[in-house]
Amino acid sequence: MVIEILCREGCDALEHAKDVVRRTLDSLGIRQPIDVVKLRNHKGGGKYAGLAGPIIKVNGERILSPSPGLPDSEILRYKIARAAGLRTVLFIGKNNAVRSQMAEGIVNDRFKGTWAAFSAGLMPVDIPVDVIKVMRERSIDISARRAKHLDLFKDLSFDRIVMLCEDASKGSPRLPEYAERECLFFRDTLSSNGALDGALFSMRSTFRGLRDDIEEKVVKYLDGINDSRAH
């Protein structure tokens, strides 16, 4: 795998771009050098005459950004994971705030270096603080994660797509390409019933039970896939 950062001489954003790529590599459990290509400023312009900031390339493919600046962090992570030969799984929930965030965090922690997990929702909302706290109890830090709409991944392809709730499964969303699709349903703790339970027994306790259930079933699911490939 070859990772390049192209920038014009004197580019102030080079160090930030390098830091973004390094953090992405670390999150995937990958050790990989980063090649920096400095472009000279030619009066005649040329291919990169209008270049305002760094360009990131993975195996020669420019990782595009929908707006000026660096590419979306999730798209960059996906491209690097694919180039490194990691298998990919996308967890889909209703809000991408609890279940799918937990599943993503657990897989990226337990299967680092073999699987790269991603998550998205149909109606993204902010991740509850107590979800971050109960994941931290497992030494999994999702404090920097964000809720994402499924459309972010519409042009990508995954080894597995896992639907985590009936709302996501029945909503008939436009899914990215995938090799296999699975349904592992877990209750919605943000629904009215879940909120009532939380009011009575503490939302953190509710999230903790959900986390343990997701961990057990998702790890078993991916372990089964790994075992089938090994034989």
Side-chain angles (χ1 to χ4, degrees), residues 4-198:
E4 299 171 295
I5 299 178
L6 286 66
C7 65
R8 300 183 71 169
E9 291 179 336
C11 176
D12 295 334
L14 174 59
E15 290 305 317
H16 174 62
K18 289 165 66 175
D19 183 59
V20 168
V21 174
R22 287 194 193 100
R23 283 189 278 110
T24 302
L25 290 168
D26 288 344
S27 73
L28 294 167
I30 298 171
R31 291 189 175 184
Q32 175 71 31
I34 302 169
D35 297 331
V36 175
V37 180
K38 292 190 176 181
L39 307 170
R40 294 182 179 179
N41 297 316
H42 293 291
K43 292 182 180 180
K47 184 177 180 181
Y48 299 105
L51 181 62
I55 288 176
I56 299 175
K57 286 188 173 184
V58 178
N59 285 352
E61 177 189 357
R62 178 177 178 177
I63 312 303
L64 299 177
S65 172
S67 58
L70 296 179
D72 184 276
S73 59
E74 292 300 293
I75 302 301
L76 177 62
R77 188 162 66 91
Y78 171 89
K79 294 292 186 178
I80 291 177
R82 277 296 196 189
L86 303 185
R87 283 170 282 172
T88 54
V89 56
L90 175 64
F91 294 102
I92 302 174
K94 180 180 178 181
N95 303 123
N96 192 214
V98 182
R99 293 164 292 189
S100 50
Q101 292 286 348
M102 287 179 170
E104 177 186 359
I106 289 166
V107 170
N108 285 332
D109 178 67
R110 293 285 295 271
F111 295 90
K112 182 179 289 188
T114 56
W115 286 89
F118 302 81
S119 66
L122 307 183
M123 295 180 289
V125 301
D126 291 341
I127 303 171
V129 173
D130 279 344
V131 170
I132 296 172
K133 289 181 177 178
V134 300
M135 292 300 289
R136 194 170 285 145
E137 292 173 358
R138 286 285 191 269
S139 298
I140 300 173
D141 185 6
I142 64 169
S143 61
R145 308 303 298 168
R146 73 184 198 276
K148 304 163 294 293
H149 194 279
L150 182 59
D151 284 350
L152 176 65
F153 302 105
K154 63 183 179 181
D155 297 323
L156 306 182
S157 178
F158 293 85
D159 293 295
R160 292 289 191 281
I161 282 182
V162 181
M163 316 296 283
L164 297 180
C165 65
E166 290 188 16
D167 287 333
S169 181
K170 293 180 179 179
S172 300
R174 179 191 170 190
L175 298 176
E177 292 185 8
Y178 58 89
E180 299 287 344
R181 175 178 169 177
E182 183 64 75
C183 292
L184 297 175
F185 292 163
F186 301 92
R187 78 181 185 118
D188 184 3
T189 53
L190 295 184
S191 68
S192 58
N193 290 336
L196 179 60
D197 288 346

